[in-house]
Every structure is written in structure tokens, then in C-alpha cells.
């Protein structure tokens, strides 16, 4: 009995972390409305704006999760982000969170290029917020990575 109590005590934080790994899409929606809409929209294939305003500073983030970075044909990405996508990378929670926290540092590390720069200057304040934003973005569906360069749904926040 005592061993079971110890095991529960030790494993409870791990279970909470695993549960939190998915993020809170509702919190992400609030964060997106505060932090992302000045540069990004989420508009479906028909052009209907599902979130954001008519901003075109950053790419459309519809079905960004599962997409190849820098692959949206109607957006002019930095060379670094295009090179990142050329590595065969696909946007998933882990790399999106890292990118949102520090776009330049993420690209520099991934490319092994100290001069790599993102066009996205904004940084999300902390990892929990970034995870929540990614959960919100994923609520709009996932892209099929094989179609990433063709169908135009898109890249990571504000590149």
C-alpha cells in the first residue's frame, strides 16, 4: 500500500505534464486574438476568415500543423525558413513551440547557421502560451505534409 502511494505521488506530475503537452485550445484562441492577429489570419480554402483580421503581414495559418515550413506559394518567406522546410521538416508541436518562443534562435540551431533570420520578430512569452497557441492552430485541422508545398495552407506563425 505504501509503495502504491509513493508511486502515485511520483507519477502524478508526469501524468499532468503529459496531459498539458496537448495544450489548451481555448486559452490559445485568446492568446491568438491578443498576440497573433496583427500579422496572421486563419482562412480556409474558400477564403473564409475563421480567425484574425485582414492582415497579410504573416502567412495564413490554416492547417499549419503538419505543413512544410515556408511552403505556402502566396507568401514571401525568409530564405532561412525556406531552407528549414527544404530539410524535410514538418511543423509539429515541438518545433512550432520552439519557433514561437524565439524564431531566429530556432532557425539558427536547426540550420547550423548563426546568420539565419526569420521575418517574424514577435516572440511568445512562455512555453505554456506557445503550446496553447499551437493547440488552437491544430484545432483548424492538420495539413497533409505531402501536400505542404501545393495546397497553400501554411507555415509557422509570422514568417
Amino acid at each position: 500500500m505504501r509503495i502504491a502511494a509513493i508511486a502515485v505521488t511520483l507519477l502524478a506530475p508526469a501524468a499532468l505534464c503529459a496531459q498539458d503537452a496537448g495544450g489548451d485550445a481555448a486559452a490559445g484562441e485568446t492568446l491568438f486574438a491578443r498576440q497573433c492577429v496583427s500579422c496572421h489570419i486563419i482562412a480556409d480554402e474558400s477564403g473564409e476568415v475563421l480567425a484574425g483580421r485582414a492582415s497579410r503581414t504573416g502567412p495564413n495559418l490554416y492547417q499549419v500543423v503538419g505543413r512544410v515550413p515556408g511552403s505556402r506559394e502566396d507568401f514571401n518567406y525568409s530564405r532561412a525558413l525556406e531552407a528549414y522546410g527544404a530539410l524535410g521538416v514538418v511543423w509539429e508541436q515541438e518545433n512550432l513551440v520552439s519557433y514561437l518562443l524565439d524564431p531566429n534562435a530556432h532557425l539558427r540551431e536547426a540550420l547550423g547557421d548563426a546568420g539565419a533570420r526569420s521575418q517574424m520578430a514577435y516572440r511568445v512569452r512562455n512555453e505554456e502560451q506557445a503550446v496553447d497557441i499551437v493547440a488552437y492552430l491544430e484545432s483548424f485541422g492538420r495539413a497533409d505534409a505531402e501536400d505542404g508545398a501545393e495546397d497553400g495552407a501554411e507555415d509557422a506563425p509570422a514568417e
Side-chain angles (χ1 to χ4, degrees):
M1 182 77 159
R2 185 171 174 204
I3 294 173
I6 293 170
V8 168
T9 302
L10 293 174
L11 294 175
L16 288 174
C17 288
Q19 183 180 13
D20 290 344
D24 179 347
E29 179 177 16
T30 300
L31 292 164
F32 184 89
R34 289 185 190 153
Q35 299 178 33
C36 308
V37 297
S38 61
C39 296
H40 294 281
I41 64 167
I42 298 173
D44 65 15
E45 299 92 351
S46 71
E48 180 182 352
V49 176
L50 306 172
R53 299 178 218 140
S55 178
R56 289 293 183 188
T57 303
N60 177 4
L61 299 178
Y62 183 71
Q63 293 184 337
V64 64
V65 180
R67 181 152 327 280
V68 174
S71 63
R72 188 172 173 89
E73 292 183 16
D74 65 349
F75 191 79
N76 186 24
Y77 296 97
S78 69
R79 282 183 240 162
L81 193 69
E82 290 176 346
Y84 182 52
L87 295 175
V89 175
V90 174
W91 287 123
E92 295 294 349
Q93 181 178 351
E94 184 178 342
N95 60 353
L96 267 170
V97 167
S98 174
Y99 182 83
L100 289 171
L101 292 171
D102 191 336
N104 289 333
H106 178 80
L107 292 175
R108 288 172 182 160
E109 182 178 337
L111 297 170
D113 177 357
R117 296 198 46 84
S118 168
Q119 292 175 344
M120 184 166 125
Y122 186 80
R123 294 182 186 183
V124 173
R125 293 179 185 98
N126 66 54
E127 187 171 350
E128 182 180 350
Q129 289 180 347
V131 169
D132 291 345
I133 291 169
V134 173
Y136 176 63
L137 294 173
E138 192 163 20
S139 74
F140 291 94
R142 291 180 54 87
D144 179 353
E146 293 176 16
D147 295 336
E150 299 169 14
D151 68 3
E154 190 16 36
D155 170 77
E159 212 348 7

